[in-house]
Amino acid sequence: MAKHIPFSLFALRIIAAVFFCLFFYTNSAESQRYTFIQYSVKQGLSQSQVRCLMQDGQGYIWAGTLGGISKFDGKNFINYDRNDGLNDNQVNTITELRNGTIAAGTTGAICLINGRGISIVSLPTELNEISVIEMKIKSRNKPIKENYNKLLKGFNSIYKEEMDLEQQ
């Protein structure tokens, strides 16, 4: 003979089970909804192969590509390439100095972009075929200095040099 469960306890269990299922179903469905906006050369990106991304202190997004560097304000792109003063169109790494200057690592140099234009910090002659692939801030006791380590990768070797970019 079946055990009789009072209606109110049975109804409470059903309501709890339905609530439990709906709660987790809606949460899992919400957590998988993402909105992506794809930007390409059609929207103004300098080139389709992006090597690096960085957001600066003012909120601009900088994209290093094989065709130069693009600055994105959320609506429009401003592009910089060899015609604007970069030493090479392949930008491998981007970082921001404390003074707001954008440093872009290319082949054989670091390009500094600020409100006055683009200046180039060349590597020593024997390293002009080496690509700058990473720049890091080196901690110092003197906060005014911008001291960077460049990690440069060549064919069979890794070269590391310290430079003071603020003096350039």
Side-chain angles (χ1 to χ4, degrees), residues 21-41:
C21 290
L22 286 175
F23 177 77
F24 283 105
Y25 176 75
T26 57
N27 274 348
S28 65
E30 280 295 317
S31 65
Q32 294 181 14
R33 291 184 187 171
Y34 298 103
T35 301
F36 291 98
I37 300 173
Q38 182 177 355
Y39 295 99
S40 67
V41 177

Side-chain angles (χ1 to χ4, degrees), residues 1 4 11-12 18 29 35 38-39 49 52-53 57 62 71 76 78-79 82-83 101 118-121 129 135 144 166:
M1 182 168 194
H4 180 58
L12 185 60
V18 168
T35 301
Q38 182 177 355
Y39 295 99
Q49 295 177 327
C52 54
L53 290 170
W62 294 81
K71 177 182 174 182
N76 301 304
I78 298 173
N79 298 312
R82 288 184 83 110
N83 297 328
T101 298
I118 298 175
S119 58
I120 296 174
V121 179
E129 297 296 319
M135 295 180 285
I144 298 173
E166 198 171 71

Side-chain angles (χ1 to χ4, degrees), residues 1-165:
M1 182 168 194
K3 188 174 180 182
H4 180 58
I5 299 176
F7 178 75
S8 61
L9 183 58
F10 179 74
L12 185 60
R13 286 183 182 172
I14 295 293
I15 292 170
V18 168
F19 177 74
F20 182 80
C21 290
L22 286 175
F23 177 77
F24 283 105
Y25 176 75
T26 57
N27 274 348
S28 65
E30 280 295 317
S31 65
Q32 294 181 14
R33 291 184 187 171
Y34 298 103
T35 301
F36 291 98
I37 300 173
Q38 182 177 355
Y39 295 99
S40 67
V41 177
K42 286 182 182 178
Q43 287 79 29
L45 188 63
S46 63
Q47 207 265 349
S48 63
Q49 295 177 327
V50 176
R51 309 269 302 167
C52 54
L53 290 170
M54 190 267 309
Q55 184 173 14
D56 69 15
Q58 295 178 347
Y60 294 109
I61 303 291
W62 294 81
T65 72
L66 296 180
I69 189 168
S70 295
K71 177 182 174 182
F72 184 60
D73 66 4
K75 293 183 182 182
N76 301 304
F77 287 94
I78 298 173
N79 298 312
Y80 303 94
D81 60 19
R82 288 184 83 110
N83 297 328
D84 300 303
L86 293 180
N87 74 307
D88 187 24
N89 281 341
Q90 181 175 327
V91 178
N92 302 306
T93 184
I94 309 167
T95 193
E96 181 179 17
L97 306 180
R98 283 189 281 249
N99 63 7
T101 298
I102 301 301
T106 63
T107 300
I110 296 174
C111 300
L112 302 175
I113 305 169
N114 58 32
R116 297 180 306 273
I118 298 175
S119 58
I120 296 174
V121 179
S122 297
L123 299 180
T125 306
E126 65 273 11
L127 300 174
N128 64 2
E129 297 296 319
I130 302 292
S131 292
V132 179
I133 59 170
E134 185 177 357
M135 295 180 285
K136 293 183 180 180
I137 296 174
K138 181 180 178 187
S139 298
R140 282 189 124 188
N141 292 336
K142 298 178 182 177
I144 298 173
K145 295 287 183 183
E146 293 288 351
N147 212 5
Y148 278 78
N149 286 333
K150 298 185 315 276
L151 181 63
L152 309 171
K153 187 174 181 182
F155 293 106
N156 294 320
S157 63
I158 293 178
Y159 177 81
K160 187 175 180 182
E161 180 179 322
E162 227 175 79
M163 284 183 108
D164 189 351
L165 294 179

